[in-house]
Amino acid sequence: MESIAIFHELENQERLDYTIDFLNKHPLLKGKFAFVANPDSMPDQCIWYGLDEDDSICMPAQEVFFSTKKVDSSQYNANPYTHKNKTVYSVEELSKSSTDFLFNGDFCFDVFEAIFFHISRYEEVFAEAKYNNKAGWLEEKDQFLVRNQLEKIPVVDHIISTLILALTQQSIDTKATHSISHDIDIIARFGSSTQMMRTVVASVYHRKGLSNFFQSIGQVFKYISGSQKDPYDVFDWLITDKSNFTEKTIYFMTGGETEHDNRYDIKDPKVATLLQLATQRKYEVGIHPSYNASEDTDMHIGETATLAKVSNRKIKKSRQHFLRWSWDKTPEIISQSPIDQDSSMGYNRRLGFRCGTGYAYHLYDFKTEKAYTWTELPLAYMESSLIHESEKTGKSVEEISNAFSDQNKQSTHIEMNWHNSNFDESLPHGNMLKSLYHKILNEV
Ligand SMILES: [Zn+2]
């Protein structure tokens, strides 16, 4: 293991220490390189951070996001810096055109603050409530990475690989890893005969034309006659037995108090069958807390306890329904719950890396200036976000997904979420999503 010293004279060093800890646990660096702040001895590699030292490698200290004074980052820019064939992006107030990452042997922007800005979710934590979306967090289009059209690449993972290359001339790039999950929001389309009638009537009211009406009637008859399974019952192929994933998780809902919740009963025999299948195929079971549970400790903990009881296992993983998240409350609720990994940091309207990294890490608690004890596995890829992006841009789901995969073959992790309810052949993207899903399973 090689040590890399960071010499600095920062007054408040908690945020730099957190960033160094993040780096030392990062899968691209782990076991190979370790950063250490102000060591007594002088290792081979040193960065003089915010200090001028002749004949040594220096890096400017921006002292914005590491300072405890709150800053409005809504006008900050991502300036491109290049090294060999790699480009990395800063988080700076002034806009600059493309320049070298290393100039005369010194780094040209503050890498540590840029990493901290993304992984701490600084801009979201300090965003005014009026700029938040329905899910409870900063509107996607106003987020730094989306504003700068950089959400499709893991800017933080790229900075790390480029920093090591520039410092040591060694490449730490590795093949991207993948994990897979399914949020079970609804288990069957046709639960009862009234639900079936509603489906047919809704196809007339909400959808276009008579062809859809006849298709819906056709689906209902095929289902009643037993010649077709429920269109949401795709579990035999959705729940994959492939072992190339670092994690496989199925998230169930057990409660709720809004129209977005309670679309099945956790005690339904269909759930028991699905649990059995998922267990056979080596999935872990997680809780999908209901709409309002992101702001209610008792609900969150109660719903998790119900799932633990029904499934007869410990529940350690969680992903918020609709990715609902209140920066004031949700992290605290998770800290008080038995959950040790959340996976809600994704976009609802597009594919991409909301935290700049695809790998799991600890989020930052600005109140205590310390890392939370649980980890966050960012959600980079969700098929419902892909559908939204396709409808917004006019590009097909396949085109968007392929471009995303092509851009992210190296040095990151992609956590995916696929819902069982979006492969229905009566939905506009149903069949294309099904073939896309099978293609991805074969490629991973
Ligand atoms: Zn959900």
Side-chain angles (χ1 to χ4, degrees):
M1 183 127 85
E2 274 184 51
S3 293
I4 302 168
I6 301 168
F7 291 106
H8 72 89
E9 288 174 1
L10 293 191
E11 267 179 48
N12 301 308
Q13 60 181 62
E14 289 91 346
R15 297 180 186 183
L16 176 64
D17 286 346
Y18 162 78
T19 307
I20 291 174
D21 195 51
F22 165 83
L23 288 169
N24 291 341
K25 288 178 176 147
H26 193 280
L28 292 178
L29 296 181
K30 215 173 168 185
K32 295 182 207 135
F33 295 94
F35 286 88
V36 49
N38 293 333
D40 297 329
S41 59
M42 189 76 99
D44 297 336
Q45 303 290 346
C46 304
I47 298 172
W48 294 82
Y49 179 59
L51 301 169
D52 257 339
E53 186 75 15
D54 288 344
D55 304 323
S56 302
I57 301 170
C58 300
M59 182 187 285
Q62 191 169 246
E63 294 185 66
V64 172
F65 306 116
F66 282 167
S67 131
T68 48
K69 193 170 145 256
K70 272 181 218 168
V71 171
D72 174 9
S73 56
S74 63
Q75 305 300 319
Y76 272 59
N77 297 285
N79 295 318
Y81 290 82
T82 56
H83 181 74
K84 300 199 166 155
N85 60 348
K86 291 172 181 278
T87 304
V88 287
Y89 297 88
S90 65
V91 183
E92 294 174 287
E93 192 170 17
L94 290 177
S95 171
K96 287 181 205 162
S97 53
S98 184
T99 177
D100 288 335
F101 185 37
L102 266 178
F103 184 75
N104 281 344
D106 292 333
F107 288 103
C108 295
F109 79 92
D110 186 339
V111 160
F112 302 119
E113 275 206 355
I115 293 173
F116 178 77
F117 174 81
H118 295 298
I119 64 172
S120 69
R121 306 309 307 127
Y122 187 101
E123 60 177 337
E124 293 193 51
V125 172
F126 297 118
E128 282 182 57
K130 65 179 174 185
Y131 298 118
N132 286 347
N133 61 18
K134 260 202 327 211
W137 37 273
L138 181 61
E139 193 73 66
E140 289 180 24
K141 67 172 175 47
D142 298 329
Q143 294 200 11
F144 181 89
L145 290 170
V146 177
R147 274 197 289 119
N148 287 287
Q149 295 171 19
L150 288 172
E151 83 281 4
K152 293 285 189 284
I153 53 166
V155 291
V156 167
D157 302 330
H158 287 188
I159 287 177
I160 293 171
S161 132
T162 310
L163 177 68
I164 295 297
L165 182 68
L167 268 176
T168 70
Q169 283 75 53
Q170 294 179 53
S171 168
I172 51 167
D173 286 328
T174 56
K175 195 169 175 275
T177 50
H178 295 80
S179 51
I180 194 165
S181 59
H182 314 288
D183 297 353
I184 309 299
D185 291 332
I186 179 164
I187 201 153
R189 181 162 162 207
F190 304 129
S192 61
S193 49
T194 34
Q195 221 173 336
M196 280 186 250
M197 272 318 294
R198 225 184 291 142
T199 303
V200 173
V201 173
S203 79
V204 177
Y205 275 113
H206 303 301
R207 297 187 187 179
K208 299 143 208 131
L210 275 176
S211 68
N212 207 295
F213 171 72
F214 286 119
Q215 198 184 9
S216 286
I217 288 201
Q219 263 190 327
V220 168
F221 277 120
K222 279 188 201 157
Y223 173 68
I224 294 170
S225 70
S227 70
Q228 191 181 305
K229 281 208 291 188
D230 186 283
Y232 296 172
D233 182 2
V234 295
F235 301 114
D236 56 342
W237 51 264
L238 181 72
I239 306 298
T240 178
D241 57 5
K242 290 202 71 160
S243 54
N244 313 31
F245 295 101
T246 58
E247 296 178 30
K248 300 198 280 189
T249 313
I250 185 162
Y251 293 98
F252 287 99
M253 296 189 77
T254 64
E257 56 185 14
T258 75
E259 54 176 332
H260 308 291
D261 311 313
N262 296 312
R263 304 194 60 192
Y264 62 94
D265 182 348
I266 193 67
K267 293 188 180 127
D268 187 322
K270 288 193 210 76
V271 172
T273 310
L274 177 54
L275 252 174
Q276 208 177 11
L277 179 71
T279 309
Q280 264 167 22
R281 296 186 183 172
K282 309 245 175 352
Y283 275 72
E284 279 183 61
V285 177
I287 184 71
H288 195 40
S290 67
Y291 201 78
N292 287 340
S294 59
E295 302 200 335
D296 188 319
T297 311
D298 291 344
M299 276 182 89
H300 201 287
I301 291 176
E303 290 173 16
T304 307
T306 303
L307 184 60
K309 198 168 165 212
V310 173
S311 67
N312 193 27
R313 67 196 78 202
K314 283 187 176 147
I315 304 299
K316 296 277 176 195
K317 292 185 176 187
S318 173
R319 173 178 299 129
Q320 300 297 136
H321 192 32
F322 285 76
L323 310 184
R324 296 263 293 166
W325 194 270
S326 153
W327 281 102
D328 276 349
K329 297 185 183 130
T330 317
E332 285 308 318
I333 293 173
I334 296 171
S335 294
Q336 288 170 42
S337 79
I339 299 305
D340 61 24
Q341 179 180 285
D342 174 81
S343 182
S344 306
M345 285 295 125
Y347 300 113
N348 273 319
R349 305 256 148 201
R350 49 181 52 79
L351 302 185
F353 300 93
R354 182 164 150 195
C355 309
T357 177
Y359 294 106
Y361 72 98
H362 296 270
L363 277 168
Y364 192 67
D365 181 356
F366 282 91
K367 290 190 288 297
T368 61
E369 300 284 352
K370 274 186 193 146
Y372 286 108
T373 54
W374 45 274
T375 56
E376 173 61 38
L377 174 63
L379 173 60
Y381 186 114
M382 174 154 75
E383 103 291 342
S384 50
S385 315
L386 175 60
I387 294 170
H388 279 292
E389 188 168 342
S390 166
E391 284 170 357
K392 176 96 183 168
T393 60
K395 293 179 189 163
S396 74
V397 289
E398 201 175 15
E399 185 186 348
I400 296 166
S401 176
N402 289 346
F404 185 74
S405 305
D406 289 345
Q407 273 186 292
N408 292 295
K409 295 211 176 300
Q410 272 199 325
S411 301
T412 194
H413 179 82
I414 297 171
E415 158 73 358
M416 296 191 286
N417 181 21
W418 293 83
H419 295 84
N420 57 306
S421 51
N422 274 329
F423 300 101
D424 187 341
E425 62 185 32
S426 73
L427 295 169
H429 307 281
N431 285 325
M432 201 190 261
L433 282 173
K434 186 175 171 180
S435 55
L436 186 59
Y437 183 68
H438 283 101
K439 180 173 157 277
I440 288 173
L441 286 189
N442 282 326
E443 285 169 358
V444 166

